[in-house]
């Protein structure tokens, strides 16, 4: 097998996941499973108002309640300089409110008690006097003259504007629009959604007064970044902080940041000298932790009459909530939205993004969005269908005509992104063939003549940009987005890999062991993967943005190759040969270095490992053992892509949508464990069905959250999901050590718009061109009446 | 973590014992059966009973079957039992239609028929199904059992004819040989509460509709029924035009409210559309050539 250029998966392919042995037995260890001697329990009092001034907080009755050990308020924290904490976007966020509350569900006070019941009981004894203020709920009104100023904590602030950001060439784009034969425009909302992981957020903080060491267990996707931030914010010495991220029940980007509850648990432990556990409930999770999207977009496309796309122009109003807390590289306030030209070879493009504050929870980058590529793909793929409507063109043909051709790679987009590799027409053709596209169109024509449920076919073609990123361009709060790996090889040749990323279900314990196994010619069972503990792993920025395989996976391959090269030196000493005369081979018996041309003169990797620890006189450059360390700084992002075809049936009498088929062709470069890849795609496709059809996080005019439970915020079930039909093409990344590109978010990025395009395709005979997600039965029916719903506001 | 406020717990070992416990603990006590409404509300602290009286051990409330010319459904019959019972399906396919779309298997294994009706949620599916078939509720108190027509049972949202100190013990549904029935619901997702739902029962005779029952839920229909549409149908020949008109009448008389499941106009439209559909299906099941499965 030739590394990085093969269509076959890497060695060991579809092996079962090593971590499943514990998960299927119920033996995982999540934060809520951590129970320490003497542990206390915390609970958070939250604001019932979206916007109100805090007149007073009286905690005396709660403090007097039996079993209560401490009540922490904003005032308590202000005394310690901890009432506010920095966000990941260089703003600040209240830990516990001191002056005002700025969204419903915001943290106001923290009770520490002997048990969770007592803590909850005591919350009801805290008296907070609020003076309600007019909230800003509709993002489109946030910049109005006279709109209430949400962030009056910042001196001199007179409005709710956060930032303006642009990409591309405005003049060139405008000029293309001027002379274009055809232009179309469409307003669209990518509504606020929530990743809603099965495991909510929480923490166990244990401050040891004797050693001064703080240990924090919490489900973080970025344990090392958390440790550094705690050190910078709380002034604790970094070597006295240990962050342990145990098994995580789903992250999707919502567990990247630091939440006020974590800080409260830490302060609670410092105050009481005992460990403190805080676990939020479902409503708290949905109301206060990182939401995703909330992009109000206007897209415009300029094209020729025969369907050649010339330019795209976009304006975005981005609702960032009450604090600008999006997790993204510093130089990218709109994330990677700049890839909005998608998979198409376009002459000119320009976008402007304006971020605003509203009285809603902070966040914005979560739910497997690849730093806003989800919004970008939604925009461009919706616009292609709008253009197809305008030109009365077939949306598949229109895409095929405009896709970037394979010979154009590496391709530099008009907004400056360098796509590493791809064969887009091949992937789209495969998806259309698998779905039997022509037959579907024939069936649709038949249905349109004969009545019955409406049939819709939707296509999306997406290009992802993942694996952030080159540290020259990408950092979070000054921390470059590189990741480390350490590989120890024990005398018997068994190995321990330590990585800085942290799995939330991606299967790293298996795939990273497979990478090492492949590189060293050992069994994956002989490689243990350690992650999620800052005392045990090298520094790195963690798992989000589909970056684990592109960055940590690369570090893993490189560190294994370093070990292999050290083994070469040791083998040369063992064989009394020159290292240059040795060749590496992997056979059924494993990896070995042997003298070129005489395979019998060789040593297995296990023999070499033992020799490296023995009394063998070691050659220059080997002090002993084979262990190695590396840090991987990616030279570029990787660009996975895919073509999806969704088939739906719509009941025009009720507005109900049924997804009948979904065909997904993904190209994520070389696959390590195809089963794990497919599992991630299945999950992302289900996410897409959920976002497109049911996930609704609206707010009423008072700022009440209307999706704060799983009765109101619906996640899809197997009943809404068809049997997924997957296909693949393999275009290796030319710059990644094993040619892999990352896949964790591809399906979440690509699928929602395929479903939406399918539903709107079904409604096309009714003159419908667009409606916003989610396409609930009510929204579909209202759209058929010519009145699509405004899905970010309460239905009235 | 969601944790309820403090409460006491009593386990009843007979109906009289349950009634005695209700009397002893008074209005701040609540009967618990499947607990699928009450416990979530307690964990959210929207409900804070001082005492829970557990009736899950009362086997006498679990009867399900034909007794004489009626189907008897004990209050403790689980949704899954109603769904699995072949006799129920033979005489009242409406219940099987409804149970297939109530919540999910986990909830159906534990949730009870009596609990669903006593919760009196304005979006409850079974309330509409029992209203359509004109069941009789059996309510037992210290003075004995009284019979309450199901259309008098629900007095308003979360309010029933079961007085303090009383217990719903079961429901009786008269069997109409040859009748057809059906239920249909529009939901945003499998297991969700209905956006709107309708059930119907039709008995035909001499080529016309001899009896019509229509139940509606989640659309603000008084007593979960559509009496004006029923009156319109009786004596008429079954057919698409009659069913559509009945739907229009039912829609005109309900009072839906907008919420995140949809605007009022949409729910009103659904009331009409679903009534039309369930009448069409019930007619087919009653053997009418005008019907359609």
């Amino acid at each position: 097998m030739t590394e990085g250029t093969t269509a076959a998966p890497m060695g060991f392919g579809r092996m079962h996941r090593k971590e499943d042995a514990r998960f299927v037995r119920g033996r995982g260890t999540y934060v809520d499973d951590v129970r320490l001697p003497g542990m206390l329990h915390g609970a958070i009092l939250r604001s019932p108002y979206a916007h109100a001034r805090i007149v007073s907080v009286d905690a005396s009755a709660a403090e007097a309640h039996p079993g209560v050990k401490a009540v922490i308020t904003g005032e308590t924290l202000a005394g310690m300089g901890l009432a506010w904490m920095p966000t990941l976007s260089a703003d600040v966020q209240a830990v516990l409110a001191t002056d005002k509350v700025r969204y419903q569900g915001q943290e106001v006070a923290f009770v520490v008690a002997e048990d969770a019941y007592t803590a909850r009981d005591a919350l009801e004894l805290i008296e907070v006097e609020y003076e309600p203020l007019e909230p800003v709920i509709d993002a489109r009104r946030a910049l109005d003259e006279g709109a209430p100023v949400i962030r009056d904590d910042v001196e001199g602030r007179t409005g709710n504007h956060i930032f303006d950001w642009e990409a591309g060439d405005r003049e060139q784009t405008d000029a293309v629009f001027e002379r274009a034969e055809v232009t179309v425009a469409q307003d669209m909302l990518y509504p606020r959604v929530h990743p809603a992981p099965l495991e909510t957020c929480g923490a166990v903080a244990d401050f040891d007064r004797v050693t001064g060491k703080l240990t924090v267990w919490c489900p973080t996707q970025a344990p090392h970044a958390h440790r550094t931030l705690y050190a910078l914010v709380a002034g604790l010495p970094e070597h006295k902080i240990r962050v342990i991220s145990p098994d995580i029940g789903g992250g999707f980007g919502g567990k990247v940041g630091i939440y006020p509850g974590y800080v409260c648990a830490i302060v609670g432990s410092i105050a009481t000298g005992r460990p403190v556990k805080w676990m939020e409930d479902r409503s708290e999770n949905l109301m206060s932790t990182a939401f995703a999207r909330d992009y109000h977009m206007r897209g415009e496309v300029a094209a020729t009459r025969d369907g050649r796309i010339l330019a795209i122009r976009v304006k975005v109003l981005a609702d960032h909530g009450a604090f600008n807390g999006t997790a993204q590289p510093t130089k990218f306030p709109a994330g990677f939205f700049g890839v909005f030209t998608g998979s198409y070879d376009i002459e000119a493009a320009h976008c402007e993004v304006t971020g605003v504050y509203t009285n809603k929870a902070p966040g914005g980058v979560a739910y497997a969005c690849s730093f806003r590529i989800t919004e970008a793909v939604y925009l461009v793929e919706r616009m292609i269908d709008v253009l197809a409507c305008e030109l009365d063109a077939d949306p598949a043909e229109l895409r095929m005509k405009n896709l970037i051709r394979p010979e154009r790679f590496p391709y530099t987009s008009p907004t400056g992104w360098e796509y590493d590799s791809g064969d887009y027409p091949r992937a789209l053709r495969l998806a259309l063939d698998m779905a039997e596209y022509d037959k579907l169109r024939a069936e649709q024509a038949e249905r349109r003549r004969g009545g019955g449920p409406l049939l819709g076919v939707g296509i999306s073609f997406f290009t992802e940009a993942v694996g952030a990123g080159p540290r020259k361009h990408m950092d979070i709060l000054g921390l470059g987005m590189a990741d480390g790996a350490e590989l120890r090889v024990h005398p018997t040749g068994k190995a321990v890999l330590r990585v800085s990323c942290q799995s939330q279900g991606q299967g790293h314990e298996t795939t990273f062991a497979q990478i090492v196994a492949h590189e060293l010619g050992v069994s994956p069972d002989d490689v243990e993967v350690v992650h999620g503990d800052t005392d045990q792993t090298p520094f790195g920025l963690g798992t989000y943005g589909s970056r684990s395989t592109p960055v940590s996976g690369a570090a893993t391959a490189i560190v294994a190759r370093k070990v292999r090269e050290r083994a070469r030196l040791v083998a040369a000493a063992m064989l009394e040969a020159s290292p240059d005369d040795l060749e590496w081979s992997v056979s059924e018996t494993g990896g070995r270095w042997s003298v070129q041309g005489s395979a019998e003169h060789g040593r297995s990797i296990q023999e070499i490992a033992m020799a490296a620890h023995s009394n063998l006189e070691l050659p220059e450059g080997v002090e002993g053992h084979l262990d190695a360390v590396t840090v991987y700084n990616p030279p570029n992002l990787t660009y996975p892509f895919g073509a999806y075809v969704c088939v739906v049936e719509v009941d025009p009498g009720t507005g109900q949508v049924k997804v009948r088929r979904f065909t997904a062709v993904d190209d994520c470069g070389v696959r390590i464990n195809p089963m794990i890849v497919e599992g991630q795609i299945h999950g992302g496709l289900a996410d897409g069905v959920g976002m497109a059809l049911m996930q609704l996080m609206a707010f009423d005019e008072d700022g009440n959250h209307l999706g704060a439970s799983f009765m109101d915020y619906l996640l899809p079930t197997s009943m809404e999901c068809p049997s997924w039909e997957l296909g693949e093409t393999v275009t290796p990344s030319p710059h990644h050590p094993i040619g892999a590109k990352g896949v964790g978010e591809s399906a979440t990025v690509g699928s929602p718009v395929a479903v939406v395009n399918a539903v709107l395709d079904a409604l096309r005979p009714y003159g419908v061109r667009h409606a916003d997600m989610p396409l609930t039965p009510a929204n579909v029916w209202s759209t058929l009446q010519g009145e699509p719903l405004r899905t970010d506001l309460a239905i009235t | 973590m969601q944790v309820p406020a403090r409460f006491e717990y009593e386990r009843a070992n007979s109906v009289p014992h349950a009634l005695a416990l209700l009397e002893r603990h008074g209005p701040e006590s609540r009967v618990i059966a499947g607990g699928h409404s009450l416990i979530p509300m307690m964990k959210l602290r929207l409900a804070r009973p001082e005492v829970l009286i557990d009736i899950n051990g009362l086997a006498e409330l679990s009867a399900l079957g034909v007794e004489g010319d009626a189907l008897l459904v004990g209050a403790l019959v689980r949704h899954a039992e109603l769904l699995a019972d072949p006799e129920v399906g033979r005489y009242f396919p409406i219940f099987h239609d409804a149970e297939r779309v109530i919540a999910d298997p986990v909830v159906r294994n534990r949730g009870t028929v009596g609990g669903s009706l006593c919760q009196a949620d304005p979006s409850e599916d079974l309330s509409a199904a029992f209203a359509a078939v004109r069941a009789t509720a059996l309510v037992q108190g210290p003075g004995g059992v009284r019979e309450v027509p199901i259309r008098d049972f629900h007095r308003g949202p979360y309010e029933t004819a079961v007085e303090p100190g009383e217990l719903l013990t079961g429901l009786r549904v008269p069997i109409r040989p040859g009748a057809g029935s059906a239920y249909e619901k529009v939901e945003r997702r499998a297991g969700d509460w209905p956006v709107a739902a309708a059930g119907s029962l039709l008995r035909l005779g001499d080529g016309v509709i001899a009896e019509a029952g229509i139940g509606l839920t989640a659309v603000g229909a008084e007593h979960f029924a559509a009496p004006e549409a029923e009156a319109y149908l009786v004596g008429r020949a079954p057919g698409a035009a009659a069913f559509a008109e009945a739907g229009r009448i039912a829609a005109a008389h309900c009072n839906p409210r907008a919420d995140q499941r949809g605007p009022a106009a949409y729910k009103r439209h659904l009331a009409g559309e679903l009534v039309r559909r369930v009448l069409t299906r019930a007619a087919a099941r009653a053997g009418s050539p005008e019907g359609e499965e």
Side-chain angles (χ1 to χ4, degrees):
Chain A
M1 184 187 297
T2 316
E3 276 148 17
T5 55
T6 174
M10 288 191 58
F12 309 101
R14 294 176 180 271
M15 64 176 279
H16 284 179
R17 299 196 334 157
K18 298 170 103 186
E19 41 275 83
D20 286 344
R22 67 178 185 277
F23 291 141
V24 299
R25 287 170 173 83
R27 296 292 294 274
T29 302
Y30 299 88
V31 166
D32 205 17
D33 296 317
V34 175
R35 291 183 178 86
L36 302 178
M39 187 171 77
L40 300 172
H41 296 262
I44 291 176
L45 181 71
R46 294 176 182 276
S47 167
Y49 294 103
H51 199 192
R53 196 162 298 289
I54 294 178
V55 179
S56 64
V57 180
D58 181 356
S60 52
E63 281 166 337
H65 189 65
V68 170
K69 296 293 168 190
V71 179
I72 294 158
T73 63
E75 204 178 325
T76 322
L77 292 183
M80 307 165 75
L82 290 175
W84 296 81
M85 63 179 184
T87 70
L88 296 176
S89 290
D91 192 359
V92 290
Q93 169 178 3
V95 177
L96 293 175
T98 48
D99 54 340
K100 287 202 304 191
V101 287
R102 291 174 171 85
Y103 59 92
Q104 189 187 46
Q106 191 184 332
E107 298 80 359
V108 174
F110 186 70
V111 170
V112 181
E114 289 287 357
D115 60 75
Y117 290 81
T118 306
R120 203 75 172 191
D121 291 346
L123 290 185
E124 295 168 15
L125 301 174
I126 300 174
E127 297 219 6
V128 184
E129 190 186 335
Y130 294 100
E131 179 193 318
L133 301 168
E134 187 192 343
V136 178
I137 299 307
D138 183 350
R140 299 173 197 179
R141 306 255 69 93
L143 298 179
D144 284 2
E145 191 132 343
V149 179
I150 298 168
R151 294 300 301 279
D152 49 1
D153 56 296
V154 182
E155 203 162 328
R157 189 170 270 291
T158 56
N160 298 312
H161 177 270
I162 308 176
F163 66 86
D164 288 313
W165 177 84
E166 62 179 315
D169 188 324
R170 182 195 299 266
E171 275 176 31
Q172 184 200 4
T173 306
D174 289 351
V176 174
F177 269 86
E178 283 288 316
R179 63 175 161 80
E181 290 171 355
V182 180
T183 62
V184 287
Q186 181 64 53
D187 290 321
M188 62 185 82
L189 166 68
Y190 203 131
R192 179 174 280 237
V193 290
H194 195 281
L198 196 54
E199 178 203 30
T200 58
C201 294
V204 175
D206 184 14
F207 181 72
D208 186 323
R209 285 181 175 173
V210 175
T211 62
K213 181 133 182 171
L214 171 69
T215 307
V216 182
W217 286 260
C218 78
T220 169
Q221 301 176 224
H224 291 276
H226 275 216
R227 187 194 61 206
T228 304
L229 283 176
Y230 287 137
L232 295 173
V233 174
L236 294 164
E238 196 171 3
H239 66 300
K240 293 285 191 186
I241 303 171
R242 179 182 185 186
V243 175
I244 300 174
S245 186
D247 288 326
I248 299 181
F252 312 103
K255 289 174 179 168
V256 172
I258 291 176
Y259 291 116
Y262 303 171
V263 178
C264 288
I266 292 169
V267 172
S269 182
I270 291 172
T272 60
R274 288 166 66 176
V276 173
K277 177 188 279 184
W278 165 73
M279 283 303 299
E280 69 189 4
D281 66 28
R282 180 60 56 191
S283 295
E284 292 181 288
N285 180 258
L286 288 167
M287 288 175 87
S288 71
T289 65
F291 74 93
R293 331 282 193 254
D294 220 342
Y295 259 33
H296 300 251
M297 304 183 276
R298 180 179 180 78
E300 292 175 277
V301 171
T304 62
R305 198 157 299 287
D306 65 354
R308 175 85 203 139
I309 300 170
L310 304 171
I312 301 185
R313 201 159 54 186
V314 187
K315 271 195 177 176
V316 180
L317 182 70
D319 184 340
H320 279 236
F323 307 105
N324 186 19
T326 59
Q328 59 209 357
T330 305
K331 291 179 195 164
F332 299 84
F336 296 168
F337 187 80
V339 299
F340 66 91
T341 57
S343 313
Y344 307 102
D345 200 347
I346 293 171
E347 193 180 322
H350 182 256
C351 80
E352 296 173 79
V353 180
T354 297
V356 296
Y357 290 119
T358 61
N359 286 111
K360 302 175 195 170
V365 172
Y367 210 168
C369 76
S370 282
F371 298 124
R372 307 263 189 213
I373 292 175
T374 314
E375 290 92 321
V377 165
Y378 183 81
L379 176 105
V380 65
E381 290 302 304
R382 216 45 295 288
M383 288 312 298
I384 301 280
D385 270 29
V386 167
L387 179 65
C389 263
E390 179 77 18
L391 299 173
D392 200 20
D394 179 88
E397 280 173 32
L398 189 58
R399 285 179 170 82
M400 196 61 96
K401 181 177 276 187
N402 288 284
L403 285 175
I404 301 165
R405 315 310 298 178
E407 60 274 14
R408 297 272 282 143
F409 288 90
Y411 169 83
T412 304
S413 82
T415 47
W417 301 75
E418 194 188 306
Y419 296 16
D420 59 349
S421 64
D423 186 343
Y424 294 177
R426 180 168 62 136
L428 179 55
R429 253 193 314 272
L430 177 58
L432 296 173
D433 288 349
M434 284 175 63
E436 299 185 288
Y437 183 72
D438 293 340
K439 271 195 196 169
L440 288 170
R441 287 294 178 202
E443 185 188 347
Q444 182 180 50
E446 186 68 27
R447 288 268 190 104
R448 282 178 181 170
R449 280 191 298 272
L454 310 169
L455 185 74
V457 184
I459 301 168
S460 77
F461 197 104
F462 65 92
T463 298
E464 267 265 66
V466 305
R471 68 199 312 168
K472 170 169 68 163
H473 304 300
M474 294 176 190
D475 68 271
I476 290 182
L477 292 182
L479 302 170
M481 298 186 76
D483 276 78
E486 284 177 22
L487 185 57
R488 288 188 198 166
V489 183
H490 297 323
T492 57
K494 314 289 185 194
V496 176
L497 174 76
R498 295 164 189 277
V499 286
S500 49
C501 58
Q502 168 58 0
S503 173
Q504 310 119 46
Q506 292 89 340
H508 294 167
E509 290 166 46
T510 308
T511 48
F512 288 178
Q514 287 182 260
I515 295 173
V516 172
H518 177 76
E519 297 292 341
L520 293 185
V522 300
S523 164
D525 291 337
D526 291 347
V527 184
E528 193 77 4
V529 176
V530 176
H531 52 177
D533 181 342
T534 57
D535 271 8
Q536 292 201 55
T537 57
F539 188 86
L541 280 220
T543 294
Y544 42 86
S546 299
R547 63 190 301 280
S548 293
T549 294
V551 187
S552 288
T556 298
I558 286 170
V559 81
R561 289 171 192 178
K562 279 189 171 185
V563 164
R564 200 168 68 200
E565 284 309 304
R566 288 171 74 94
R568 180 209 286 259
L569 300 179
V570 176
M574 293 169 79
L575 296 166
E576 297 179 351
S578 159
D580 296 340
D581 291 339
L582 299 190
E583 66 180 358
W584 174 255
S585 64
V586 180
S587 68
E588 277 176 18
T589 56
R592 57 199 282 119
W593 283 110
S594 43
V595 177
Q596 275 172 32
S598 64
E600 71 278 11
H601 278 102
R603 292 291 185 269
S604 72
I605 190 77
Q606 290 83 4
E607 291 167 333
I608 300 167
M610 185 61 82
H613 290 85
S614 73
N615 60 1
L616 176 76
E617 191 161 332
L618 293 170
E620 185 101 6
V622 185
E623 300 87 358
H625 65 65
L626 299 177
D627 305 356
V629 179
T630 196
V631 177
Y632 185 73
N633 177 26
N636 186 10
L637 301 175
T638 56
Y639 291 77
F641 58 93
Y644 291 173
V645 181
C646 177
V647 184
V648 300
E649 289 188 348
V650 180
D651 180 339
T654 63
Q656 283 175 300
V657 174
K658 179 165 183 57
V659 179
R660 190 171 91 181
R661 287 183 67 194
F662 201 111
T663 306
V665 171
D666 272 273
D667 190 324
C668 55
V670 173
R671 296 184 177 198
I672 299 159
N673 185 323
M675 180 191 72
I676 289 179
V677 169
E678 288 160 11
Q680 298 205 55
I681 292 169
H682 285 179
L685 297 177
D687 279 338
V689 169
M691 286 175 218
L693 301 182
M694 63 192 74
Q695 295 183 13
L696 182 57
M697 193 161 263
F699 295 80
D700 71 11
E701 59 184 359
D702 296 325
N704 292 308
H705 194 299
L706 302 177
S709 80
F710 277 163
M711 274 178 65
D712 305 304
Y713 189 71
L714 300 181
L715 299 183
T717 71
S718 59
M719 300 295 282
E720 285 74 42
C721 297
S723 183
W724 312 112
E725 300 167 56
L726 303 190
E728 65 172 295
T729 62
V730 177
T731 314
S733 169
H735 62 78
H736 187 276
I738 56 174
K741 287 188 168 187
V743 75
E745 297 161 311
S746 284
T748 317
V749 166
S751 63
V753 68
V755 180
V756 170
N757 282 348
V759 175
L760 295 172
D761 181 62
L763 305 187
R764 200 164 154 184
Y766 293 79
V768 172
R769 207 165 79 160
H770 180 75
D772 288 328
M773 295 185 285
L775 294 166
T776 57
N779 197 9
V780 169
W781 185 81
S782 300
T783 299
L784 284 173
Q785 314 309 310
E787 294 172 357
L789 298 178
R790 174 94 190 258
T791 57
D792 56 334
L793 305 177
I795 294 174
T796 51
Chain B
M1 197 169 80
Q2 285 171 352
V3 290
R6 188 178 177 81
F7 64 91
E8 302 296 326
Y9 173 88
E10 297 264 22
R11 192 171 174 84
N13 50 34
S14 69
V15 170
H17 184 215
L19 295 174
L21 288 170
L22 279 169
E23 188 175 342
R24 187 191 318 151
H25 293 293
E28 296 309 314
S29 64
R30 288 290 298 273
V31 170
I32 186 159
H36 277 282
S37 297
L38 183 55
I39 289 184
M41 287 172 73
M42 287 170 65
K43 289 173 77 171
L44 291 167
R45 299 195 173 200
L46 296 171
R48 343 180 46 134
E50 288 171 8
V51 184
L52 284 187
I53 298 169
D54 186 346
I55 59 165
N56 281 288
L58 306 189
E60 61 263 50
L61 300 185
S62 297
L64 175 62
V66 175
E67 254 189 37
D69 56 0
L71 174 74
L72 189 74
V73 183
L76 261 187
V77 168
R78 314 279 165 181
H79 293 290
E81 291 169 337
L82 195 63
L83 178 55
D85 191 283
E87 263 185 341
V88 171
R90 185 167 346 123
Y91 294 119
F92 296 103
I94 183 174
F95 289 127
H96 280 192
D97 287 353
E99 285 293 1
R100 270 188 209 101
V101 293
I102 290 176
D104 53 48
V106 176
V107 172
R108 292 201 293 260
N109 284 339
R110 184 80 185 152
T112 65
V113 170
S116 296
L117 294 177
C118 288
Q119 179 66 21
D121 188 296
S123 299
E124 173 55 46
D125 288 291
L126 283 187
S127 298
F130 279 102
V133 300
R134 294 192 175 82
T136 299
L138 309 174
V139 179
Q140 191 167 341
V145 178
R146 60 190 182 96
E147 300 194 352
V148 181
I150 196 69
R151 295 183 182 195
D152 296 333
F153 184 81
H154 290 108
R155 293 184 172 163
Y158 309 104
E159 206 188 326
T160 70
V162 181
E163 301 291 343
E166 287 188 325
L167 193 66
L168 175 70
T169 57
L171 295 124
R172 201 170 58 223
V173 194
I175 292 171
R176 292 83 148 179
S181 64
Y183 191 83
E184 188 168 333
K185 164 173 169 174
V186 169
E187 54 191 358
R188 297 174 300 176
R189 188 204 63 194
D192 187 23
W193 290 86
V195 178
S200 79
L201 176 138
L202 282 183
R203 187 165 55 82
L204 309 177
D206 299 330
V208 296
I209 296 167
E211 183 190 350
I214 298 174
L216 278 168
T217 192
V219 290
E222 217 171 315
H223 305 300
F224 297 94
E228 299 82 1
E230 291 165 344
Y232 167 81
L233 286 171
V234 172
R236 269 174 216 274
F243 297 155
E245 181 58 20
R248 269 191 292 276
I249 295 170
H253 283 88
C254 67
N255 186 25
R257 286 190 185 184
D259 62 15
Q260 289 309 89
R261 288 189 172 77
Y266 168 61
K267 294 183 179 185
R268 191 181 295 283
H269 161 79
L270 281 185
E273 176 69 14
L274 293 177
V275 164
R276 187 187 67 75
R277 290 185 186 193
V278 291
L279 286 170
T280 309
R281 202 186 313 156
R285 288 172 173 173
S288 166
E290 296 291 324
E292 201 180 307
E293 266 290 347

